[in-house]
Amino acid sequence: MRHFIALISILLFFNCKNETHSGVDYSKLESIPTKEQVGQLVLPDTIAPVSAPFKMPVFEKPIFPDRSINILDQGADTSKLVTTTIQNAINEISALGGGTVIIPKGDWKTGRISLKSNVNLHLEEGAILNFSTDVKDYQPAVFTRIESLEVMSLAACIYANNQENIAITGKGKLIGPYSGEIKKRSYMKPIEGLIDLSKPAKERIHDGSKEDWIFPPKFISPINCKKVYIEGVSLENTAFWNIVPVYCDNVIIRGVSVNSEGIPRGDGIDIESSKNVLIEYCTLSTGDDAFTMKSGRGEDGLKVNKATENVVVRYCLARKGHGGITCGSETAGTIRNLYVHDCVFDGTGVGIRFKTRRPRGGGGENLYYDRIRMNLEYTAIKWDMLGKRSYVGLLADRLPIREVNNLTPFYRNISITNIIIENSTHFLKAYGIPESPLNNLTIDNVDAKCTELILANDIKNIQIKNSSIQTTESVVDVVGGEKITLDNIVFKTNAETLSMPKETIQLNDIHFSTED
């Protein structure tokens, strides 16, 4: 039974024309973009300089030699699989020192494609690549990660390993294999029960030849690559996560669109244990999380120990999806130095989302969110650090408090500033871990509309300030909280008090108003 029911009487301030208590500084919110001002449809030709709270490299478009092969000139036929034709063209161009492989206008069919160094796979406007739904067209198994565990598997529809200066560009469309055999055989059980993690990764072979299930191929997933560039293409109907750089350095993803609505595990863009990443002007509508940061899972991820770090996400649009921008739940290598700004989440479930689990390890730190507009189905800002019993057993239970070990994750040092929340349920939900509370969070200058306020377990050093919150309910429900401050906030509500644990929360300059 929660012990938060304690009413603090606060003088009721009604707004009037001369009211000076506004909470939020609206001048800082005026230029936050709308959904029409972000996403694929407004992609500029050039890459603007990146400014972030941490050091980032200079991002530039790649340069390829003036050499090209059009698959139509190689005898490609829309009535047949063109996998071999495309792959031979990629191999030839790469061997010559690089250039562009052109997929012309047409409705083409292919299996897995493997990119090679210094090759730009370019889809002309009107080009459609339909990926096969037959498992055999993604065999043999190659090295990859599935749900942040290393395996030998079907990997991805477009794959690359240990390559440099690779690109996928153009205004064409990629249609994934989420139907037929691929869909029918896709695994449904928790992944931990399917992989023998006592074996080295090269012996964890799951390519559909010995099991009646498969790990379905991701859509685009380079691994161990440098200088990865993806621009302009549209992706539909993926069988698994859409765009997933793994162990990569210097990645640019700009002006892509993704539609995987209704597809389980249909994440949009997952940055996994990669660094120096720019994502801009993308439009995602997904069956799972939209923009996502991951860095390995449990003991397997700790052995690899590669962070996702130095990532900027800007001028992007998330429509449907479980979370607009998400960290986790795979966090073993740690997610650090993430800057998300000037984005719009319009119709997603949660807006800013954080996940991990007791057995996942690592965590997230130095995460910055600024100038974001959100119109949501559910919670605006949410942490879930415990998960469900179906995945982690009794470790999903908040109590008893466990001893801290190398698999105990954390979230700390997080800044969320200059936010417009046009619609949400809870303003903030945070389910921390008693032995590893969510620590050092600042939420500053927010104009929010929500039906409920705060529901939180195990949080400390939390400051919410300079904000205006319109809410139906006025409950601040906290268990295991420490050093929580609400400072210079106007609550627009019919209530005259907050229901809250007075011994946990410090109030400074709090005002109430009945004005909408």
Side-chain angles (χ1 to χ4, degrees):
M1 184 72 181
R2 291 182 173 269
H3 51 278
F4 70 91
I5 305 300
L7 295 182
I8 296 182
S9 296
I10 303 172
L11 182 62
L12 180 63
F13 289 85
F14 287 94
N15 277 358
C16 63
K17 291 183 179 179
N18 296 322
E19 176 60 72
T20 59
H21 301 289
S22 61
V24 67
D25 182 351
Y26 287 99
S27 67
K28 295 181 179 180
L29 306 182
E30 290 175 352
S31 59
I32 292 178
T34 64
K35 60 184 178 181
E36 292 81 14
Q37 296 172 313
V38 296
Q40 185 191 46
L41 296 180
V42 295
L43 172 70
D45 291 334
T46 58
I47 300 174
V50 171
S51 177
F54 39 84
K55 187 176 181 180
M56 290 289 287
V58 175
F59 290 100
E60 298 176 334
K61 289 189 175 185
I63 297 174
F64 298 94
D66 187 15
R67 181 186 295 117
S68 66
I69 295 177
N70 188 316
I71 65 166
L72 198 59
D73 297 333
Q74 306 299 304
D77 185 341
T78 56
S79 68
K80 302 175 182 178
L81 281 178
V82 294
T83 314
T84 301
T85 304
I86 295 174
Q87 194 61 58
N88 287 343
I90 289 171
N91 295 346
E92 180 180 343
I93 283 283
S94 182
L96 291 171
T100 300
V101 172
I102 299 171
I103 311 297
K105 181 179 179 180
D107 207 338
W108 307 95
K109 302 176 183 65
T110 184
R112 180 172 67 207
I113 298 167
S114 294
L115 287 179
K116 299 294 178 66
S117 292
N118 300 311
V119 175
N120 174 18
L121 181 66
H122 182 77
L123 283 78
E124 292 184 340
E125 189 168 4
I128 302 174
L129 268 184
N130 296 274
F131 284 86
S132 170
T133 62
D134 295 334
V135 170
K136 63 180 176 58
D137 292 320
Y138 303 91
Q139 295 170 334
V142 291
F143 177 61
T144 186
R145 255 183 172 182
I146 296 292
E147 292 195 49
S148 287
L149 297 175
E150 292 188 339
V151 294
M152 302 291 293
S153 188
L154 305 182
C157 298
I158 300 180
Y159 175 75
N161 189 1
N162 278 306
Q163 305 301 309
E164 185 169 348
N165 196 36
I166 58 176
I168 303 167
T169 64
K171 296 184 179 180
K173 181 184 295 184
L174 307 172
I175 298 180
Y178 190 60
S179 59
E181 184 185 14
I182 294 288
K183 180 178 180 180
K184 183 179 180 180
R185 294 180 62 185
S186 293
Y187 74 110
M188 298 303 293
K189 296 180 180 179
I191 194 170
E192 288 88 350
L194 299 175
I195 298 175
D196 185 351
L197 296 176
S198 67
K199 294 181 178 180
K202 65 182 180 180
E203 296 179 14
R204 303 171 191 169
I205 302 172
H206 300 284
D207 64 356
S209 61
K210 295 182 179 179
E211 301 104 346
D212 60 2
W213 53 269
I214 60 165
F215 294 131
K218 291 169 282 189
F219 218 147
I220 299 172
S221 187
I223 189 167
N224 295 315
C225 293
K226 295 180 180 179
K227 296 184 179 179
V228 177
Y229 188 81
I230 304 173
E231 181 187 279
V233 293
S234 298
L235 285 69
E236 297 179 5
N237 204 48
T238 189
F240 198 58
W241 300 349
N242 278 275
I243 300 176
V244 193
V246 181
Y247 307 156
C248 291
D249 185 0
N250 199 314
V251 177
I252 302 171
I253 305 170
R254 61 191 313 262
V256 305
S257 75
V258 167
N259 183 0
S260 58
E261 280 190 56
I263 297 177
R265 308 189 187 103
D267 290 21
I269 297 174
D270 293 73
I271 306 303
E272 185 162 353
S273 294
S274 294
K275 61 184 179 180
N276 301 321
V277 179
L278 172 63
I279 304 171
E280 64 175 7
Y281 296 100
C282 295
T283 299
L284 308 185
S285 189
T286 67
D288 206 312
D289 289 321
F291 299 91
T292 310
M293 307 296 132
K294 299 177 181 291
S295 65
R297 188 183 187 110
E299 292 282 7
D300 198 61
L302 290 177
K303 291 176 183 176
V304 174
N305 195 29
K306 290 185 178 181
T308 281
E309 57 188 340
N310 303 337
V311 180
V312 170
V313 182
R314 63 184 186 182
Y315 311 120
C316 287
L317 173 62
R319 291 195 170 106
K320 292 295 181 181
H322 292 184
I325 178 73
T326 300
C327 288
S329 60
E330 296 85 356
T331 57
T334 305
I335 300 160
R336 65 170 68 94
N337 294 352
L338 167 67
Y339 181 37
V340 183
H341 71 90
D342 291 279
C343 291
V344 177
F345 307 148
D346 186 57
T348 56
V350 175
I352 301 173
R353 190 181 193 198
F354 307 84
K355 301 184 291 184
T356 189
R357 311 284 183 257
R358 274 189 173 111
R360 293 290 162 88
E365 62 185 355
N366 305 333
L367 311 174
Y368 305 87
Y369 305 80
D370 187 39
R371 295 176 47 79
I372 298 173
R373 183 185 302 270
M374 300 190 284
N375 177 21
L376 309 169
E377 294 182 347
Y378 306 116
T379 300
I381 306 167
K382 183 178 180 180
W383 278 260
D384 177 7
M385 299 177 67
L386 291 172
K388 298 178 181 179
R389 279 191 175 187
S390 56
Y391 288 92
V392 296
L394 295 179
L395 291 178
D397 295 350
R398 177 176 176 265
L399 298 175
I401 296 175
R402 275 73 171 182
E403 183 177 350
V404 173
N405 58 39
N406 65 336
L407 290 175
T408 304
F410 61 83
Y411 274 112
R412 64 192 178 210
N413 304 337
I414 299 163
S415 172
I416 300 174
T417 57
N418 303 316
I419 307 293
I420 297 174
I421 303 170
E422 296 176 341
N423 186 61
S424 68
T425 52
H426 276 86
F427 173 74
L428 171 67
K429 275 187 179 180
Y431 301 105
I433 300 173
E435 63 271 22
S436 182
L438 164 62
N439 186 21
N440 195 16
L441 163 68
T442 298
I443 300 176
D444 185 9
N445 208 52
V446 178
D447 184 23
K449 292 182 180 179
C450 54
T451 55
E452 299 175 82
L453 279 178
I454 297 171
L455 175 61
N457 295 342
D458 306 305
I459 61 176
K460 69 177 183 179
N461 298 316
I462 310 297
Q463 186 177 33
I464 304 173
K465 60 183 181 178
N466 305 322
S467 296
S468 173
I469 304 175
Q470 180 176 321
T471 176
T472 305
E473 301 294 333
S474 55
V475 175
V476 179
D477 184 351
V478 178
V479 172
E482 182 181 348
K483 296 182 180 178
I484 302 168
T485 303
L486 306 183
D487 186 4
N488 187 29
I489 299 178
V490 172
F491 291 99
K492 296 179 180 180
T493 176
N494 289 326
E496 299 184 16
T497 59
L498 295 178
S499 296
M500 54 182 286
K502 62 182 180 180
E503 71 281 0
T504 301
I505 300 174
Q506 179 179 344
L507 302 178
N508 299 323
D509 199 18
I510 301 300
H511 308 275
F512 284 75
S513 169
T514 56
E515 182 180 279
D516 290 340

